[in-house]
Amino acid sequence: MTVRAALFDVFGTVVDWRTGIAGHVDEWMDTRGVTGVDSFAFADEWRSRYDPSMREVREGRRPFARLDVLHRENLVEVLLSHRITASDDDVDALNSSWHALPAWPDSVAGITRMKSAMIVAPLSNGNVSLLLDMAKAAGIPWDAVLGAEVAHAYKPTPDAYLRTADILGLAPEECLMVAAHNSDLKAAQQCGFGTAFVRRPTEHGPSQTVDLEAGGQWDHVADSMEDLATALGC
């Protein structure tokens, strides 16, 4: 079937979360006189709590909670691990860093080209306000803002993919999942989606060891969003 929608993982695929969060951490620490914190290590520690917190929701041990809530809970734990005391307002300010992450240099141009031929939208674990703010800040031209909060399910559970396709009125086979993570593409493929792997070999920094290459029989493998747009005829 013809691809009618390209649906994108966001964190790591469309935006450079690690560089963005580290930059916000540096600024936040500096304005509060906190020293001796490696901002990239802080960002990595914060991100490492991402999947375990969603697993609590996916496995039914807590009701659905939007990612902003999970991020804030995880941030409080990271601050405690560094023995940093912060007011609620200061925690909120740092938590909002996820709303203003930089796009990879090829993301906006590539997604804009794909938008000319198909629907483009996030299929992200991010909540709506987070993804809206991020798109405004980075200039990402989404047609719609979808994801876990809309589908009420976190990836890689099937409902996250299937409910998103249903919301768009599309069959799974009409949707292309675009991601830099093989696990995301595997889950989408099992739901009937087309798949496109975009390499992001520095998502986790210069010593990254995961998702350096395509790890499955994906429909497309590209080095950038612009390369993917070309492969899709856009």
Side-chain angles (χ1 to χ4, degrees), residues 121-143:
L123 203 171
S124 169
N125 286 327
N127 48 278
V128 172
S129 64
L130 186 161
L131 295 168
L132 280 172
D133 290 344
M134 184 192 298
K136 287 288 189 182
I140 305 166
W142 301 130
D143 288 311

Side-chain angles (χ1 to χ4, degrees), residues 61-165:
R61 288 188 291 274
R62 69 176 290 180
F64 184 86
R66 62 174 58 101
L67 189 59
D68 270 341
V69 172
L70 302 182
H71 271 159
R72 193 185 192 284
E73 292 172 354
N74 296 338
L75 173 58
V76 169
E77 293 178 359
V78 177
L79 289 169
L80 285 172
S81 77
H82 287 267
R83 299 181 180 179
I84 298 171
T85 301
S87 68
D88 285 345
D89 286 346
D90 281 350
V91 174
D92 289 340
L94 186 52
N95 196 48
S96 69
S97 302
W98 295 95
H99 290 235
L101 298 178
W104 293 107
D106 56 275
S107 288
V108 172
I111 292 170
T112 299
R113 286 172 58 189
M114 286 180 255
K115 181 184 173 79
S116 68
M118 62 193 69
I119 297 164
V120 292
L123 203 171
S124 169
N125 286 327
N127 48 278
V128 172
S129 64
L130 186 161
L131 295 168
L132 280 172
D133 290 344
M134 184 192 298
K136 287 288 189 182
I140 305 166
W142 301 130
D143 288 311
V145 175
L146 306 173
E149 189 178 19
V150 178
H152 227 62
Y154 281 119
K155 296 185 297 180
T157 56
D159 281 347
Y161 305 95
L162 296 174
R163 288 178 184 168
T164 299

Side-chain angles (χ1 to χ4, degrees), residues 1-7 114-121 143 165 168-176 194 232:
M1 297 179 72
T2 301
V3 173
R4 295 180 58 193
L7 303 173
M114 286 180 255
K115 181 184 173 79
S116 68
M118 62 193 69
I119 297 164
V120 292
D143 288 311
L168 291 171
L170 300 177
E173 294 80 7
E174 296 176 296
C175 300
L176 179 72
L232 294 172

